[in-house]
Amino acid sequence: MRQRMGWRCLIWCGVCLATTAIHAEESLTKVVPAGAIVSAEITDAAATISRLKTSEALRQATSSPVYRTWANSSNGRKFRGGRALLEGQLGMNLWDAAERLIGQQVLVAVYPPSAGNQPDGVLVIRFETMETAALIREKLSPWIEISDGAIQADERDGSWLVQSADNKAFGALREQWLVISNRESLRTAVLDRVSKTVTESLADSPAWKHQTALANTTSESRLQVIWDSAPVRPLLGAESEARLLPAKLDNPLASLLLGGLIEVAAKAPEMQGALTIHESGFVASVLAPVGKAEIDPAHQTLLATAPSTSDLITPVPRQLASIVLCRDWADWYRQREALLESPVLPEFDKFETGLSNLLPGKDFCEDVLTLLNAPITLVAAEQTYPHLDGRPGMQLPAFAVVVDLTNADRGADLFQLFFQTLGTIVNIEAGKSGRQPWVMHSAAYQDIPITYAKYLDRPQGEDLPVVFNFQPASALVGQKYVAATSLELCHDLIDVLQRPASGGNEPTTKNFAMTVDPVVAMRLLQANKALLAARSIQEGKTSEQADNELSILFEALQALQPLLLTTDVTGQHVELRLQGGWK
Amino acid sequence: MTDCQTTRREFLRWTGSATALSVGGLLPQVWSRCQAAEPGDSINDRILVVVQLAGGNDGLNTLVPIDNDDYYKARPGIAIGKGSALKLNDRLGLHPSLTGLREFWDAGRLAIVEGVGYPQPDRSHFRSMDIWHSAQPQEPSPQTGWIGRSLDISQSRQNDRREAACIGMEKQPLACIGNVALPPTIQRLEDFRLKQTPGQSQGLNSPRWSAAVPKPETVDASDLAFLRRASQTTLSAARQLERLVDQQTSSQYPTSEFARKLRLISQMIAADLPTRIYYVSLDGFDTHSQQLPGHATLLRELSEGLTAFLSDLEEQGHTQRVLVTTFSEFGRRVAENGSLGTDHGSASVLFNVVPPGRGGLYGAPPSLSDLEDGDPKFTTDFRRVYATLLDHWLQLPATEILSGTYAPLDFVA
Amino acid sequence: MKPSTFGPAEAFHLLKRVQFGVHPAEVDLAVREGLDNTLERLLSQQPESAEFQSTDQALRTTALATGNIQDLKIWWLVRMLTSANPLREKLALGWHNHFATSHAKVQSVPFMLAQNELFRTHAWGEFPALLHAVARDPAMLIWLDGNANRKRHPNENFAREVMELFTLGIGHYSEHDIQEAARAFSGWHLRDKAFWFNATQHDATPKTIFGHTGNYIGSEVLDLCLAQPACAQFLAGRLLRTFVTDRPTQSQLATTSQLITQHRYHIAPVLRTIFRDEEFFAAPQRQAMIKSPLDYVLGLLRPLGEQIHWRRVTTVLANLGQDLFEPPSVKGWEGGRHWIQSTSLILRWNFATEFLTSQQIAKVNTEAFSSLSEVADAELWCLGGTPEPQVHAALQQEWQNTTSADSSHATIQRLQFLVALPEYQLM
């Protein structure tokens, strides 16, 4: 009893001290020592927790049949039992407890092992008020008393210290701070910094300084992860130059899409990951302070950027998704031996041999790839089927590819040859399998000549074969060659490409950009609702159950904002960013 | 032993071979001892394994005319050298991959038929395959095959319920489709495993099951009697097979897909199923380019698979009951083509592995200088081989099945 | 003559033959209604439920949209199991077997669907109308090489099958009849997805068929075939083997072919007469057919299955040898004892075991089978009546050994025993 009384007094004294010691806005990296490999800091989770607690989504999830089935299973019953016990102990709702305990600031840091193989780790939490710390102590003390020596508690220098008898866990409560570590030294180091007896900290390390300078800090809740490879390198011993990630990949597509990022990650001395959540969305980003110049020339081909904003094509009507991929195509192909594992290289030779049947006497790299500027854009859009009196039974989006040509005349002819050859092959296949053939037509749209495949008849009906999703069309718009699986999308792209670029012709840092519109995706799924429902029926659902499940999916998609994934490359850093939101 | 024989013979006489299996189920030990003691005593017991070499096997590089200059002139790039061929006599040698077949030759078990074909050869895979399968070259779109029609006849007889099975095939090949017969295709042994809740006595596992399925009177031709016989036979075969699944035979099978299929056949034979004709295919013989390495691999697969299979059967005591026959839809051109391969041809060689004693050369070697469209002229109609297998081995009326009389060859007594 | 009684045993016998599987409630209903009303209901179009219509629509749309024949198989299976007009579906299968056409060659889901609708529309209507429609059906034109039948190159494929498999049977026509008929069908082509009479490829010279001479065109040949006495006899065999027995007797064939002639090939009154006759309910006709894979599989699913995984079911049916829309040849499925082989028997047992014990194929609901606690009921339901004393005794023993507090568990165990008996393969 006396101990408790004394502790209460301490709290009142500590309040003033605490508020002066560390400002609440300051990062918790100021209270942990430098040298961490990874640190993760969560700031102001309370806002997100409190919104989640009252959100419609949670209410829907907990009333869903899936959840109810789980809740009634033995695991679900155990979970509910454990939760009730815990809430009884804490004397509050679990949501409120989470808000009070981790709602303010939480930091986890991992250090190279000081002994043995287990890395050192520390968890630091700052509560909003010192009362929370007092409450924890109050709840824990009886347990320590009955633990029969397995846990020992001690009061020292204003901190309440707890440790396990086997020296595997060390905890401390001081003012509004909670510290837990697997090393006593680490706990001491944190307490020293909390009480300001030591000031040098993780926040002073070059990695942290660098990253915070780059980071965007205005947000509601924030998770910030920093990776610093400097402390790890000595651990690799003699192989200190050894790479943590491979320089070559064994899959050409993976190399093309991810090879650049993997190389940047391998070269980066430190990296930062951040997840910030605000009222109606989130931004996740990974940032590496590595400039393009620091990467070898082979991998540089994967880090090309769109030369100007006019290369970033504005959305077409009913756009489902778009991808802009910037690569130095010819150079990438020439340097493939430096980028890919040798077992996959013969595949390129096979590919070239196959291609030479289409393009006799031409070289794929020197005659085709050199025609391409960095950005290649892929677009997918919903269709309205103006060429049909009806709809295909299965409605697919239209796809298009837009390439930026270095030499418009030569490039257009070459790609047109591909387009026509492909059309002919498809026609032969159509004849073999009794499908309708098409004829190549030409027409002008906005004064741009278009070549497109037209079906002999205008098909009628609501359940037309899937092939009527396709009506390939191609056109040359200035320097840009467009090939689309539908005439409609080709028209829409011509409209977009002929419009003057809104942002002028500024240079950009975009290396990759992908957008997906969930609402258009929802509309496409809705158009194929009968098919999706039929799949469920084939697996034993009734048509009513199938409809209900689809409605839930459609509602969820309807509530989402477009998703955006980008890679930016500058002289100083490379950043990967994912943005999304909800309504 | 005499007792065994009497029991079994009488039994066969009573009920036909199919129901014999139910006794096997009841008295497994006695049964298998009988089997080891008197292999192949009954005609109806004989088993035919048909191996289809799909794609058109190059007969000239399989059975090499080692003393023939025309052969070496026509194939400067891909001929099998006299030194490397496995010599059978002064005139012929086997492809070096066929070491196993060479051993069968030495044991007097390899019956080689030379110059097998049919008039007006067709070089389309599909058409020629249809002709071999149907044995009806005149029929533009044949509906039945020679094995299928054999089954029609055998199954129309009293007490002859011989079955066939197509191993590892998606669909029945035309050869196995009869006017009424449609033998099953079996992909895996699992198809033959009973799904039972282990340790529980339900359904077929119930001790009351056999009491509820009385043995039918032999004269009873009703559907129920038929189903009772079929149920008893099938159940005891499945149980036999169950016991054999995990048993490791000492014969080591290679890892090829073909060997896996042969192993399945061996297990089915060991389980004493009423299946008497097995049909299996080894694909990839369409060797248009760079023929040497690919062809060698295929022939090795064939030879190693058959060696393991037949030594396994020998161990089980089935040597006298089993005959393996191979065929391919056509041979290949005498002259090699421009890409070290060979194109579709006509007459070719086929192999039979027979019980010891009747191995040797049959048919007649075609001339390599007197060609027809670049192909050797056939000397032996393929229906003579079928007639041999039907009349002499399976004892089924070849004339009726093949709609014509073809003189059997002598590789079956 | 009408049967003297129409109790559960008779109702069950009738329903097993006219639909795929029987639910106990359907037997109760039939007994309540009586034989005449039941037949009236079965042989007149009943309205389909809203649930059936929406499910049917979704599955049909999907098959057309994907062009995948597997989707069309599921569409039909769901109809067979849940339609309010089960006899129409059974007849559609009967005609599919009679005019066996395979998607393997036709390669068009819309054509296979259209042909199937033809079988359904004409299910119990006038056979001549069906025959004439089938002769112009696109799937049939592809299947039997219609477009290859040209004036100077007659193709006999269709002409032969019309006589051998569709109307007369072997022995009731000569090779000369076929050659002449083939010329009459020359120019019966497919154009723009529809039948087209290609006059320039039609051989208009006189033909002599069955001893009659004239400038016949295809449809007249069909009428000539229908006029042959062998035709009614041939059709009688088909109807008897579909509904009555795997091995019709001469007298059954004679009676039925007389009926067919009398009703001028109108199927509904023929069937009504067959099903109203005490002969149909007599002992030789009970348990006189070996269940086809469809009768076997849907027979388990109809009274016991909920939330059926149809893809699994189509695979099982294909393995058992009855792959809808893909019959093995133009002869269709032979049926009868040919369904039973050692492998197919194991597959049948395994399907039943897996269905009853694993919940992988469907959810099993044994509610409808609470009466299985009585051995006599079980014998009626699963074995078609009281078996020999020895079998009956074995069943009684099994029942004593499977009493359990959990009645659904006991029911499943008993069902496992019943479906493993040879009697269960009969219907």
Side-chain angles (χ1 to χ4, degrees):
Chain A
M1 271 303 258
R2 270 185 61 202
Q3 201 181 12
R4 209 159 119 185
M5 282 288 284
W7 208 68
R8 289 221 165 154
C9 294
L10 255 172
I11 294 173
W12 291 112
C13 305
V15 171
C16 320
L17 268 172
T19 44
T20 50
I22 304 277
H23 187 266
E25 283 303 308
E26 277 184 323
S27 165
L28 292 190
T29 49
K30 281 202 186 292
V31 301
V32 295
I37 307 167
V38 179
S39 64
E41 183 172 15
I42 304 171
T43 313
D44 199 15
T48 305
I49 293 172
S50 89
R51 207 185 34 256
L52 203 60
K53 170 172 76 175
T54 55
S55 74
E56 180 66 9
L58 182 75
R59 198 193 57 76
Q60 272 187 4
T62 51
S63 60
S64 76
V66 182
Y67 177 83
R68 268 182 279 155
T69 314
W70 176 80
N72 288 325
S73 71
S74 71
N75 278 336
R77 281 199 295 270
K78 273 185 212 153
F79 172 80
R80 282 185 301 161
R83 178 180 164 163
L85 198 74
L86 203 63
E87 287 181 344
Q89 272 294 317
L90 291 171
M92 67 178 95
N93 179 298
L94 215 54
W95 286 106
D96 296 336
E99 216 176 317
R100 273 182 82 170
L101 291 175
I102 58 168
Q104 189 73 5
Q105 276 178 297
V106 181
L107 176 112
V108 178
V110 179
Y111 294 82
S114 53
N117 288 326
Q118 287 269 333
D120 295 5
V122 65
L123 166 75
V124 182
I125 299 178
R126 176 158 62 181
F127 307 120
E128 193 171 12
T129 63
M130 288 201 284
E131 279 169 53
T132 310
L135 182 73
I136 291 174
R137 182 169 174 178
E138 185 187 328
K139 297 286 178 194
L140 280 181
S141 298
W143 292 98
I144 293 170
E145 274 165 37
I146 61 167
S147 77
D148 207 15
I151 307 169
Q152 293 148 12
D154 191 11
E155 188 92 40
R156 204 190 301 156
D157 302 332
S159 303
W160 186 60
L161 303 174
V162 181
Q163 73 177 83
S164 67
D166 58 4
N167 284 335
K168 279 189 177 156
F170 300 87
L173 278 169
R174 181 189 173 99
E175 298 148 10
Q176 78 271 50
W177 297 88
L178 169 74
V179 183
I180 298 173
S181 175
N182 61 344
R183 304 278 180 229
E184 189 174 9
S185 56
L186 207 47
R187 179 181 66 180
T188 314
V190 174
L191 291 174
D192 286 348
R193 285 169 180 78
V194 167
S195 57
K196 287 256 173 182
T197 48
V198 176
T199 52
E200 177 272 332
S201 72
L202 181 61
D204 296 315
S205 69
W208 168 258
K209 281 185 176 163
H210 199 156
Q211 293 294 347
T212 38
L214 297 170
N216 170 8
T217 52
T218 56
S219 66
E220 182 184 89
S221 303
R222 190 166 77 244
L223 165 68
Q224 191 161 22
V225 181
I226 295 177
W227 156 264
D228 185 354
S229 61
V232 189
R233 291 189 188 273
L235 298 180
L236 296 171
E239 299 166 71
S240 59
E241 289 304 303
R243 298 170 58 99
L244 294 172
L245 292 164
K248 293 181 179 182
L249 302 182
D250 59 2
N251 180 323
L253 188 65
S255 163
L256 204 53
L257 291 176
L258 302 171
L261 292 181
I262 290 174
E263 184 61 19
V264 165
K267 286 280 159 68
E270 76 257 349
M271 288 211 309
Q272 172 194 280
L275 170 67
T276 58
I277 299 171
H278 51 86
E279 205 171 334
S280 63
F282 70 93
V283 183
S285 78
V286 179
L287 196 144
V290 176
K292 191 176 166 183
E294 294 165 53
I295 302 293
D296 65 290
H299 285 93
Q300 273 187 25
T301 63
L302 301 169
L303 296 171
T305 49
S308 82
T309 41
S310 65
D311 289 313
L312 305 171
I313 298 165
T314 46
V316 296
R318 305 174 305 281
Q319 178 171 304
L320 168 68
S322 78
I323 293 176
V324 183
L325 188 65
C326 297
R327 302 292 183 260
D328 291 331
W329 296 98
D331 278 338
W332 167 74
Y333 197 82
R334 288 184 194 117
Q335 310 227 36
R336 59 186 186 275
E337 287 177 22
L339 298 170
L340 292 161
E341 297 281 2
S342 54
V344 294
L345 293 172
E347 297 299 317
F348 285 88
D349 302 338
K350 278 190 205 159
F351 168 71
E352 285 189 8
T353 313
L355 204 73
S356 65
N357 294 331
L358 294 177
L359 279 179
K362 296 275 180 191
D363 180 77
F364 175 62
C365 180
E366 301 308 324
D367 293 314
V368 180
L369 290 181
T370 50
L371 290 169
L372 300 179
N373 279 321
I376 287 188
T377 309
L378 301 165
V379 179
E382 194 187 1
Q383 308 196 56
T384 65
Y385 305 103
H387 65 293
L388 306 176
D389 286 331
R391 308 260 147 164
M394 187 196 295
Q395 295 184 31
L396 301 176
F399 299 93
V401 57
V402 182
V403 294
D404 192 37
L405 298 172
T406 52
N407 179 330
D409 292 341
R410 215 150 53 84
D413 277 354
L414 202 70
F415 284 105
Q416 196 59 16
L417 177 64
F418 274 129
F419 182 78
Q420 289 179 1
T421 310
L422 222 63
T424 311
I425 294 172
V426 174
N427 250 357
I428 293 171
E429 288 301 313
K432 275 189 198 161
S433 57
R435 287 200 311 267
Q436 258 201 47
W438 53 41
V439 278
M440 285 296 168
H441 256 249
S442 47
Y445 179 77
Q446 310 272 25
D447 296 330
I448 304 277
I450 300 180
T451 310
Y452 71 98
K454 179 176 167 291
Y455 287 98
L456 274 182
D457 300 321
R458 195 178 160 84
Q460 293 184 339
E462 288 303 310
D463 294 324
L464 293 169
V466 70
V467 70
F468 289 112
N469 279 291
F470 300 97
Q471 193 193 22
S474 73
L476 181 69
V477 190
Q479 289 280 114
K480 292 190 161 57
Y481 179 79
V482 179
T485 63
S486 86
L487 181 60
E488 185 183 31
L489 181 54
C490 189
H491 284 171
D492 289 341
L493 278 166
I494 290 173
D495 286 340
V496 166
L497 289 171
Q498 287 209 311
R499 222 176 284 147
S502 54
N505 277 348
E506 301 295 315
T508 77
T509 56
K510 285 280 173 292
N511 167 258
F512 176 87
M514 179 176 85
T515 62
V516 180
D517 189 336
V519 175
V520 179
M522 190 267 306
R523 286 207 306 265
L524 260 165
L525 292 175
Q526 223 159 21
N528 293 305
K529 193 175 172 186
L531 258 75
L532 297 169
R535 287 279 171 261
S536 296
I537 293 169
Q538 290 177 345
E539 274 161 22
K541 303 257 164 58
T542 65
S543 63
E544 195 187 339
Q545 283 169 329
D547 285 351
N548 284 344
E549 285 175 10
L550 287 171
S551 306
I552 293 171
L553 174 68
F554 295 155
E555 266 174 43
L557 285 173
Q558 181 85 57
L560 294 178
Q561 299 277 10
L563 206 65
L564 178 63
L565 178 67
T566 56
T567 311
D568 283 270
V569 175
T570 70
Q572 292 78 42
H573 69 260
V574 175
E575 184 182 14
L576 180 69
R577 187 180 271 263
L578 176 68
Q579 267 174 287
W582 43 82
K583 289 165 194 165
Chain B
M1 203 167 97
T2 325
D3 283 344
C4 278
Q5 253 172 31
T6 322
T7 315
R8 190 172 176 219
R9 288 231 171 93
E10 272 180 5
F11 186 73
L12 285 172
R13 212 176 59 234
W14 289 340
T15 61
S17 66
T19 36
L21 292 165
S22 54
V23 170
L26 294 171
L27 304 162
Q29 270 85 38
V30 180
W31 178 249
S32 51
R33 248 186 287 125
C34 285
Q35 192 134 334
E38 42 148 29
D41 63 331
S42 156
I43 304 297
N44 279 352
D45 250 10
R46 285 181 172 175
I47 288 168
L48 176 66
V49 180
V50 180
V51 178
Q52 163 181 300
L53 308 177
N57 178 34
D58 181 9
L60 282 172
N61 269 19
T62 308
L63 182 69
V64 186
I66 48 177
D67 69 339
N68 193 322
D69 289 342
D70 292 330
Y71 167 73
Y72 288 102
K73 263 184 233 148
R75 298 187 162 190
I78 61 161
I80 305 291
K82 194 169 181 169
S84 54
L86 309 172
K87 207 172 151 189
L88 301 181
N89 58 26
D90 288 344
R91 185 168 64 82
L92 295 168
L94 287 172
H95 186 284
S97 291
L98 298 172
T99 47
L101 292 192
R102 168 60 188 271
E103 282 168 29
F104 292 129
W105 174 266
D106 291 341
R109 299 193 59 189
L110 188 64
I112 300 173
V113 189
E114 292 182 86
V116 188
Y118 54 90
Q120 289 143 28
D122 197 302
R123 289 176 183 79
S124 146
H125 286 293
F126 309 103
R127 179 66 193 138
S128 195
M129 207 45 126
D130 275 0
I131 290 171
W132 274 87
H133 280 214
S134 64
Q136 296 169 326
Q138 310 301 332
E139 180 62 49
S141 52
Q143 297 286 333
T144 60
W146 69 283
I147 297 172
R149 294 193 300 273
S150 312
L151 294 169
D152 285 346
I153 290 179
S154 98
Q155 292 175 8
S156 68
R157 292 174 171 177
Q158 194 76 27
N159 293 343
D160 185 353
R161 294 285 305 172
R162 283 185 271 182
E163 293 183 2
C166 315
I167 305 299
M169 308 187 104
E170 282 279 324
K171 288 230 152 132
Q172 291 84 356
L174 174 64
C176 292
I177 295 174
N179 285 303
V180 291
L182 188 68
T185 60
I186 296 161
Q187 304 273 13
R188 300 151 299 146
L189 192 57
E190 272 58 49
D191 296 347
F192 240 106
R193 288 190 104 155
L194 288 171
K195 283 193 182 119
Q196 294 166 328
T197 322
Q200 294 198 337
S201 54
Q202 287 156 352
L204 297 159
N205 277 354
S206 163
R208 268 74 60 189
W209 190 84
S210 48
V213 186
K215 215 165 290 317
E217 299 287 325
T218 37
V219 290
D220 190 349
S222 70
D223 280 341
L224 184 56
F226 161 81
L227 284 163
R228 281 176 175 164
R229 284 188 200 111
S231 298
Q232 287 159 346
T233 310
T234 304
L235 187 60
S236 83
R239 295 258 153 84
Q240 288 269 24
L241 214 54
E242 202 67 35
R243 279 193 284 275
L244 287 164
V245 169
D246 307 314
Q247 252 174 43
Q248 200 63 44
T249 45
S250 60
S251 180
Q252 285 295 313
Y253 282 84
T255 52
S256 71
E257 189 67 7
F258 179 64
R260 195 188 60 78
K261 293 175 193 167
L262 292 175
R263 177 150 196 259
L264 176 54
I265 296 176
S266 142
Q267 286 168 319
M268 291 174 71
I269 292 173
D272 234 335
L273 294 171
T275 313
R276 293 291 178 266
I277 303 174
Y278 293 91
Y279 195 98
V280 64
S281 181
L282 175 59
D283 300 352
F285 283 90
D286 199 12
T287 50
H288 283 283
S289 69
Q290 300 292 342
Q291 162 172 338
L292 282 178
H295 194 232
T297 310
L298 285 166
L299 291 181
R300 188 175 314 116
E301 229 172 274
L302 173 72
S303 173
E304 290 180 351
L306 287 179
T307 307
F309 175 60
L310 288 159
S311 68
D312 185 5
L313 291 181
E314 190 169 354
E315 209 173 291
Q316 295 180 35
H318 296 308
T319 301
Q320 296 292 337
R321 301 177 59 197
V322 178
L323 190 153
V324 180
T325 186
T326 71
F327 81 94
S328 192
E329 67 265 43
F330 40 61
R332 308 189 79 83
R333 289 280 159 92
V334 175
E336 69 186 38
N337 63 21
S339 40
L340 294 179
T342 45
D343 297 325
H344 302 179
S346 60
S348 188
V349 61
L350 67 72
F351 296 107
N352 301 281
V353 187
V354 299
R358 293 258 168 177
L361 291 170
Y362 297 88
S367 160
L368 294 192
S369 49
D370 176 21
L371 301 179
E372 183 180 27
D373 295 343
D375 283 323
K377 292 176 185 164
F378 83 102
T379 61
T380 312
D381 194 294
F382 72 111
R383 284 163 289 190
R384 292 185 64 195
V385 178
Y386 289 174
T388 319
L389 299 171
L390 291 168
D391 266 338
H392 290 180
W393 184 251
L394 297 172
Q395 305 225 314
L396 288 163
T399 307
E400 188 180 335
I401 293 164
L402 303 174
S403 316
T405 306
Y406 298 90
L409 300 160
D410 283 336
F411 61 83
V412 182
Chain C
M1 209 199 305
K2 255 185 90 173
S4 49
T5 53
F6 187 70
E10 287 73 23
F12 187 50
H13 172 65
L14 172 70
L15 293 179
K16 271 193 291 190
R17 300 301 180 83
V18 297
Q19 58 187 43
F20 299 97
V22 185
H23 193 284
E26 293 170 316
V27 172
D28 293 345
L29 176 67
V31 172
R32 270 205 312 280
E33 285 182 342
L35 177 57
D36 284 344
N37 290 334
T38 301
L39 288 177
E40 190 50 42
R41 176 166 51 81
L42 286 166
L43 281 165
S44 58
Q45 183 64 24
Q46 303 299 314
E48 300 285 6
S49 71
E51 165 75 19
F52 175 87
Q53 286 179 34
S54 67
T55 303
D56 184 66
Q57 184 60 32
L59 293 173
R60 175 202 305 255
T61 307
T62 299
L64 288 171
T66 61
N68 183 343
I69 194 69
Q70 300 303 328
D71 288 327
L72 197 65
K73 290 176 191 173
I74 294 179
W75 164 76
W76 195 6
L77 286 171
V78 172
R79 285 192 74 95
M80 288 177 178
L81 198 72
T82 59
S83 167
N85 297 281
L87 177 54
R88 199 179 273 280
E89 297 304 322
K90 195 132 197 182
L91 274 159
L93 179 72
W95 296 130
H96 176 44
N97 196 18
H98 189 78
F99 297 105
T101 307
S102 173
H103 177 264
K105 179 167 174 184
V106 176
Q107 289 295 325
S108 162
V109 165
F111 285 165
M112 293 309 288
L113 173 62
Q115 190 191 60
N116 195 262
E117 293 288 28
L118 211 56
F119 297 150
R120 192 166 287 106
T121 311
H122 293 277
W124 53 58
E126 322 252 338
F127 178 72
L130 175 59
L131 179 66
H132 279 272
V134 167
R136 293 156 184 258
D137 169 59
M140 184 57 82
L141 287 166
I142 297 174
W143 176 235
L144 294 179
D145 304 312
N147 277 27
N149 192 358
R150 288 158 185 268
K151 193 173 177 176
R152 278 165 206 85
H153 299 96
N155 183 304
E156 295 171 6
N157 209 356
F158 182 71
R160 178 179 301 279
E161 306 311 0
V162 159
M163 293 189 193
E164 180 184 333
L165 298 171
F166 301 165
T167 60
L168 303 175
I170 286 178
H172 299 283
Y173 54 86
S174 69
E175 282 299 309
H176 182 73
D177 292 330
I178 288 177
Q179 287 156 15
E180 295 287 282
R183 294 199 295 122
F185 286 108
S186 59
W188 280 41
H189 287 184
L190 180 69
R191 182 187 171 202
D192 276 345
K193 303 184 175 184
F195 171 79
W196 173 53
F197 180 68
N198 185 351
T200 62
Q201 288 294 354
H202 177 68
D203 182 344
T205 58
K207 298 110 191 162
T208 303
I209 301 169
F210 308 135
H212 306 278
T213 305
N215 283 353
Y216 297 125
I217 58 165
S219 45
E220 289 167 316
V221 175
L222 298 178
D223 289 334
L224 284 173
C225 290
L226 289 163
Q228 293 286 301
C231 186
Q233 174 110 2
F234 186 74
L235 202 56
R238 170 64 68 195
L239 291 181
L240 289 168
R241 276 182 285 117
T242 305
F243 292 106
V244 182
T245 170
D246 283 341
R247 279 175 302 247
T249 62
Q250 283 307 320
S251 97
Q252 282 174 315
L253 285 168
T255 317
T256 310
S257 84
Q258 228 173 1
L259 270 175
I260 290 171
T261 315
Q262 181 192 330
H263 290 290
R264 297 205 181 88
Y265 290 107
H266 190 191
I267 305 298
V270 174
L271 288 180
R272 192 177 290 118
T273 314
I274 292 175
F275 295 140
R276 280 193 66 199
D277 191 7
E278 63 179 353
E279 164 85 4
F280 174 74
F281 296 93
Q285 270 59 253
R286 302 282 181 97
Q287 299 285 89
M289 297 177 79
I290 289 181
K291 282 179 184 163
S292 71
L294 275 165
D295 284 310
Y296 182 81
V297 168
L298 297 184
L300 283 165
L301 292 175
R302 192 182 193 98
L304 292 161
E306 289 173 354
Q307 301 177 17
I308 299 158
H309 288 262
W310 287 104
R311 279 182 188 276
R312 288 291 312 277
V313 176
T314 54
T315 313
V316 167
L317 287 168
N319 289 342
L320 285 172
Q322 199 170 23
D323 204 0
L324 289 176
F325 297 109
E326 300 190 74
S329 75
V330 66
K331 292 182 186 67
W333 294 283
E334 188 64 24
R337 292 189 183 187
H338 292 279
W339 291 126
I340 304 297
Q341 305 232 345
S342 38
T343 37
S344 58
L345 207 46
I346 286 179
L347 285 169
R348 283 183 180 215
W349 288 333
N350 282 350
F351 173 77
T353 308
E354 196 182 355
F355 166 64
L356 289 172
T357 59
S358 78
Q359 313 280 324
Q360 298 286 312
I361 291 166
K363 230 179 97 191
V364 177
N365 184 347
T366 55
E367 238 169 71
F369 273 129
S370 52
S371 66
L372 278 194
S373 53
E374 298 301 324
V375 174
D377 282 335
E379 287 170 344
L380 170 64
W381 276 109
C382 299
L383 311 181
T386 312
E388 296 111 293
Q390 184 188 351
V391 181
H392 180 72
L395 276 167
Q396 279 181 321
Q397 259 199 321
E398 176 75 12
W399 257 235
Q400 280 160 19
N401 278 285
T402 48
T403 43
S404 154
D406 182 353
S407 71
S408 132
H409 183 260
T411 307
I412 288 197
Q413 202 166 343
R414 287 167 178 175
L415 279 167
Q416 278 183 270
F417 189 77
L418 288 164
V419 300
L421 295 180
E423 285 87 343
Y424 188 74
Q425 306 296 340
L426 294 167
M427 67 174 203

